[in-house]
Amino acid sequence: MKKVLFASTALIATASVAAAEVKFSGYGRFGIGYLEDRTGVVTNFNTGVTVTNTGVTTTTTSGATNTGQTTTITDTTTTNQTTVSTDETILVSRFRLNIDGIAETDGGVRFEARVRLQADENANTGEANAAGLNGARFSVIYGGLRVDAGNVAGSFDNLANYYGNEPGLENFIGQYSGVDYSFLGYSSTGAGSNAVFFQYAVGDFAFGASYDQATFGLNGVADSADRWDISFTYSFNNFTAAVAYGETSAIGDVVEKQSLAVLTLGAEFGDFSGTIFVADDDVADEDLNGTAYGLSAAYNVGAATTLTFAYGDGSADNDTQQYGIGAIYDLGGGASLRGGIGQTKVGDGDGRLRADFGAQFNF
């Protein structure tokens, strides 16, 4: 009888495993990163400080209690947090592990849930950060239809060729640098927004849309600042064209309605690929309103080496300008050497040189 029970239990367990699966994937990277005039928040030691405490209760040797006394401590050390110049060259790293739970019905409807475990260095000080799980994303997929809920990426974050080619081990240069609108994006290290994203693809066309609810208080009364976005993508021959538009509702007269429109075009010709990026954002800060533009390219030099380039800028007074080049050398087996060098400048400020080099391996 026991053998029958054990056999039945094993059969049920095997059936459960066959109906669902858990997958692990991700990558690791590490190397050296340089940033000109790097600053960070550190612990500050103040030495030779005189500290005066009032309202102190003291007790004499005879046991008498004295209240409201003032005590003074001289030549002591106190600590606080302060921003200082830190090492320009640091060890950079990232560990990313995607954990996907997957189940599929007999009718072909696929259900997925994902969380991500990620650890990065503190880019301001070079110290290590602990790994942590982000917010969960849930998905339902059937044919060309996909619906995501929870910590989701919206239409801009999913838009074809929005990010283009990003040089460097850390992908620190982007054609989109002139965009200042805060769109719905997937969070790798935080809870993310509890939102919904919808996408439907048929043939060479794809349509996407997302909606994110947000509630604020305005003079003690609830007010919404919901944001939404939509996108259209069309692929033809060697080209992919995509357009997206999104808005965030105003909060009374405190924060005006904000919006972003983006157009991307990508193309591939043999060993060469490139993207063009144009956007117009209307945000609360007038010094950031305007047109953003950029481009990127990648070229395969031989079988193992790829050169990358990106440039991004904007017409607003305080837009961020970035440009740089990079290289990738494929070692095989999912491993590669990567590096880049470029410059970032905000408005009329001074440019800051940035460079990195290291290894990345996918698993």
Side-chain angles (χ1 to χ4, degrees), residues 144-358:
L145 174 66
R146 179 186 182 106
V147 179
D148 293 341
N151 177 15
V152 305
S155 298
F156 292 109
D157 206 12
N158 279 302
L159 191 67
N161 297 311
Y162 181 93
Y163 296 99
N165 300 285
E166 300 170 287
L169 175 68
E170 303 169 276
N171 306 124
F172 59 84
I173 299 294
Q175 62 180 9
Y176 48 83
S177 64
V179 173
D180 302 292
Y181 177 83
S182 178
F183 56 76
L184 176 62
Y186 181 78
S187 175
S188 293
T189 56
S193 297
N194 201 26
V196 176
F197 171 72
F198 160 90
Q199 186 177 60
Y200 182 71
V202 54
D204 296 327
F205 293 90
F207 168 77
S210 72
Y211 186 77
D212 178 26
Q213 288 182 315
T215 302
F216 293 87
L218 182 62
N219 298 321
V221 179
D223 196 1
S224 66
D226 299 349
R227 56 182 172 179
W228 59 268
D229 48 50
I230 57 174
S231 67
F232 297 91
T233 303
Y234 176 58
S235 298
F236 56 100
N237 297 326
N238 298 327
F239 296 88
T240 299
V243 61
Y245 178 81
E247 288 186 359
T248 300
S249 302
I251 305 177
D253 296 327
V254 179
V255 180
E256 65 182 32
K257 182 183 74 173
Q258 303 177 79
S259 65
L260 173 64
V262 173
L263 170 66
T264 68
L265 179 65
E268 294 185 7
F269 300 96
D271 291 327
F272 174 83
S273 63
T275 62
I276 297 175
F277 179 95
V278 180
D280 183 80
D281 54 2
D282 183 2
V283 295
D285 188 342
E286 294 296 330
D287 290 333
L288 298 176
N289 285 338
T291 301
Y293 46 87
L295 55 91
S296 74
Y299 182 70
N300 297 323
V301 183
T305 304
T306 301
L307 302 179
T308 59
F309 162 80
Y311 170 82
D313 203 349
S315 63
D317 292 341
N318 286 337
D319 272 345
T320 299
Q321 179 196 74
Q322 292 184 338
Y323 57 87
I325 57 174
I328 303 171
Y329 183 76
D330 188 359
L331 299 172
S336 60
L337 298 177
R338 298 167 180 251
I341 184 170
Q343 180 168 281
T344 298
K345 184 178 75 167
V346 178
D348 295 327
D350 295 332
R352 302 170 69 190
L353 182 67
R354 184 171 179 178
D356 64 9
F357 177 76

Side-chain angles (χ1 to χ4, degrees), residues 51-56 58 69-73:
V51 178
T52 302
N53 299 310
T54 59
V56 177
T58 61
Q69 301 296 300
T70 300
T71 62
T72 301
I73 304 175

Side-chain angles (χ1 to χ4, degrees), residues 127-150:
E127 299 299 324
N129 283 325
L133 288 173
N134 69 343
R137 183 190 71 196
F138 304 91
S139 303
V140 181
I141 304 167
Y142 182 72
L145 174 66
R146 179 186 182 106
V147 179
D148 293 341

Side-chain angles (χ1 to χ4, degrees), residues 101-136:
I102 304 168
E104 187 168 334
T105 69
D106 294 338
V109 180
R110 185 180 176 94
F111 292 87
E112 295 184 359
R114 164 175 287 193
V115 291
R116 175 173 289 174
L117 181 70
Q118 181 162 311
D120 298 281
E121 89 287 346
N122 184 323
N124 296 320
T125 64
E127 299 299 324
N129 283 325
L133 288 173
N134 69 343

Side-chain angles (χ1 to χ4, degrees), residues 77-98:
T77 300
T78 63
T79 61
N80 64 337
Q81 298 295 111
T82 189
T83 300
V84 299
S85 296
T86 55
D87 293 329
E88 294 182 328
T89 302
I90 64 172
L91 178 65
V92 297
S93 63
R94 168 176 289 174
F95 171 81
R96 173 179 291 179
L97 178 65
N98 298 317

